[in-house]
């Protein structure tokens, strides 16, 4: 039976809500759907070892649940304030019969970013999949109000940590390994209030395409994911101005499919890009935008 994509998942107005960043998914209403009760694996990542940043909530959590149910052991990174979400993800990875490793810490630190990868390699016994999902987004309407502190912090989180972790990970990754970075529709078609964030997301596209060419000779694939508006803690903790939340994905921005996406709608993309099914896919940006133009 087919389903109407406009009516799948939550498609009403969202209740107004705000949390200080990074936000905890457990306290959102409605809960983002990360596939907790729906994602079924078919053994596509059996025995693989994955590190996912931002794995506690939103799109990273959807990837963590899917990877575990596809047979992978999974380490997740998140900020210490997000421990309640991380504990829920740990439980779900373990329910799938896989090893869960929790590695909290701040990616703006080079020392921590490098140690994170080493800890994941040590605790998982190797590394096949590096999914860099963590990101910082704070909307500021006027460039005059954009602080140096925010510009630096957004670039450290979204861009610099990506270089540090990739440098640490590559020597451990086997042929057939997969790196997945996180860009956005903002990297192609930026919003006027996301001058710092959008610039990091364009940068990530350049990094991804260049790295894919560099490491193809090692048998490692590198791809990126470009979502449109997805319901997650990032959006209700300053990623959008508060007044945009009720019509998020419906009118602000107005997507052709008329609603925001739910993280589970990217689970398949994350599994595909990590798996052998994507053996001929590298240097590619995969979009899921509800019909908005992503490039
Ligand atoms: P989310 O809030 O669930 O995930 C973002 C995660 O980033 C947090 O869980 C947090 O653990 C992590 N993070 C932030 N700052 C950090 C730091 N300094 N150190 C360590 N971790 C840090 O929201 P999400 O929407 O699932 O976001 C995941 C990724 O998707 C982000 O890179 C975001 O830019 C990207 N994205 C989201 C959307 C969307 O509409 N939600 C659209 C396009 C791209
Ligand atoms: Mg989170």
């Amino acid at each position: 039976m087919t389903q109407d994509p406009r009516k799948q998942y939550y498609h009403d107005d969202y209740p107004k809500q705000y949390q200080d960043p990074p936000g905890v998914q457990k306290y959102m209403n409605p809960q983002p759907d990360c596939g907790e009760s729906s994602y079924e694996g078919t053994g596509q990542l059996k025995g693989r070892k994955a590190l996912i940043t931002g794995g506690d909530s939103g799109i990273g959590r959807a990837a963590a649940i899917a990877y575990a149910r596809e047979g992978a052991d999974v380490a997740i990174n998140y900020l210490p304030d997000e421990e309640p979400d991380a504990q829920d993800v740990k439980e779900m990875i373990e329910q799938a019969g896989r090893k869960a490793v929790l590695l909290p810490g701040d990616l703006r630190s080079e020392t921590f970013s490098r140690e994170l990868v080493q800890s994941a390699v040590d605790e998982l016994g190797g590394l096949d999949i590096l999914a860099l999902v963590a990101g910082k987004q704070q909307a500021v309407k006027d460039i005059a109000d954009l602080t140096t502190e925010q510009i630096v912090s957004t670039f450290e989180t979204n861009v610099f940590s990506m270089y540090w972790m990739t440098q640490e990970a590559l020597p451990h990754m086997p042929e057939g390994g997969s790196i997945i970075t996180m860009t956005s529709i903002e990297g192609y078609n930026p919003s006027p209030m996301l001058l710092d964030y959008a610039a990091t997301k364009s940068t990530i596209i350049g990094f991804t395409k260049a790295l894919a060419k560099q490491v193809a000779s090692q048998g490692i694939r590198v791809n990126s994911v470009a979502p449109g508006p997805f319901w997650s803690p990032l959006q209700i903790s300053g990623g959008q101005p508060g007044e945009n939340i009720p019509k998020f994905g419906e009118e602000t921005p107005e997507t052709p499919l008329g609603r925001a996406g739910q993280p589970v709608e990217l689970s398949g993309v994350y599994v595909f890009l990590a798996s052998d099914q994507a053996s001929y896919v590298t240097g590619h940006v995969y979009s899921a935008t509800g019909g908005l133009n992503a490039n």
Side-chain angles (χ1 to χ4, degrees):
M1 247 233 317
T2 58
Q3 292 185 67
D4 182 343
R6 299 168 302 172
K7 303 282 182 305
Q8 271 180 282
Y9 304 104
Y10 189 87
H11 53 273
D12 269 335
D13 288 2
Y14 288 101
K16 243 189 154 177
Q17 56 201 289
Y18 176 80
Q19 293 181 37
D20 288 332
V24 174
Q25 176 157 322
K26 224 186 173 92
Y27 309 135
M28 286 176 73
N29 174 33
Q31 287 286 291
D33 185 342
C34 298
E36 291 88 344
S37 61
S38 59
Y39 191 88
E40 288 178 27
T42 56
Q44 292 187 67
L45 301 175
K46 213 167 171 193
R48 306 268 169 109
K49 301 161 196 308
L51 169 60
I52 306 173
T53 64
D56 59 298
S57 59
I59 298 162
R61 177 197 287 228
I65 293 169
Y67 285 180
R69 293 186 188 167
E70 294 291 352
D73 291 333
V74 180
I76 64 168
N77 163 253
Y78 51 94
L79 286 163
D81 286 351
E82 301 173 295
E83 191 63 35
D85 283 346
Q87 287 296 336
D88 288 347
V89 174
K90 177 173 188 272
E91 206 177 298
M92 282 180 277
I93 295 168
E94 288 172 352
Q95 276 166 2
R98 307 309 310 182
K99 182 169 184 174
V101 180
L102 298 187
L103 300 169
D106 192 328
L107 295 175
R108 291 174 299 177
S109 154
E110 176 174 356
T111 308
F112 174 75
S113 292
R114 294 187 185 281
E115 283 171 3
L116 167 65
V117 174
Q118 293 303 332
S119 304
V121 168
D122 290 347
E123 297 205 35
L124 295 171
L127 188 65
D128 305 306
I129 302 161
L130 179 65
L132 302 174
V133 183
K136 175 185 168 86
Q137 173 181 332
Q138 289 290 302
V140 176
K141 286 180 183 162
D142 187 335
I143 187 169
D145 300 324
L146 190 54
T147 62
T148 299
E149 189 191 6
Q150 174 168 327
I151 299 167
V152 170
S153 179
T154 305
F155 271 83
E156 283 172 341
T157 309
N158 299 4
V159 175
F160 297 162
S161 68
M162 174 179 71
Y163 286 84
W164 300 324
M165 286 187 279
T166 302
Q167 284 179 332
E168 288 305 312
L170 277 170
H172 300 285
M173 293 186 78
E175 293 163 353
S178 171
I179 298 176
I180 305 169
T181 64
M182 177 50 104
T183 181
S184 167
I185 189 169
E186 294 292 330
Y188 293 102
N189 193 358
S191 304
M193 60 191 173
L194 293 174
L195 293 188
D196 55 337
Y197 175 84
T200 66
K201 294 300 179 180
S202 310
T203 301
I204 291 167
I205 296 168
F207 173 89
T208 303
K209 292 185 174 181
L211 184 68
K213 291 175 184 164
Q214 184 177 128
V215 300
S217 60
Q218 299 168 39
I220 294 172
R221 294 178 300 100
V222 189
N223 293 287
S224 199
V225 178
F230 275 69
W231 184 240
S232 73
L234 176 115
Q235 300 293 0
I236 57 100
S237 59
Q240 294 290 324
E243 67 268 21
N244 284 7
I245 292 299
K247 299 278 182 199
F248 179 61
E250 208 178 321
E251 290 176 8
T252 51
E254 186 177 348
T255 59
L257 288 180
R259 64 169 176 86
Q262 293 294 326
V264 65
E265 297 183 272
L266 281 169
S267 305
V269 171
Y270 271 86
V271 170
F272 172 70
L273 292 176
S275 78
D276 296 339
Q277 291 219 49
S279 48
Y280 203 54
V281 181
T282 196
H284 186 64
V285 182
Y286 198 109
S287 301
T289 64
L292 292 170
N293 286 335
N295 45 35

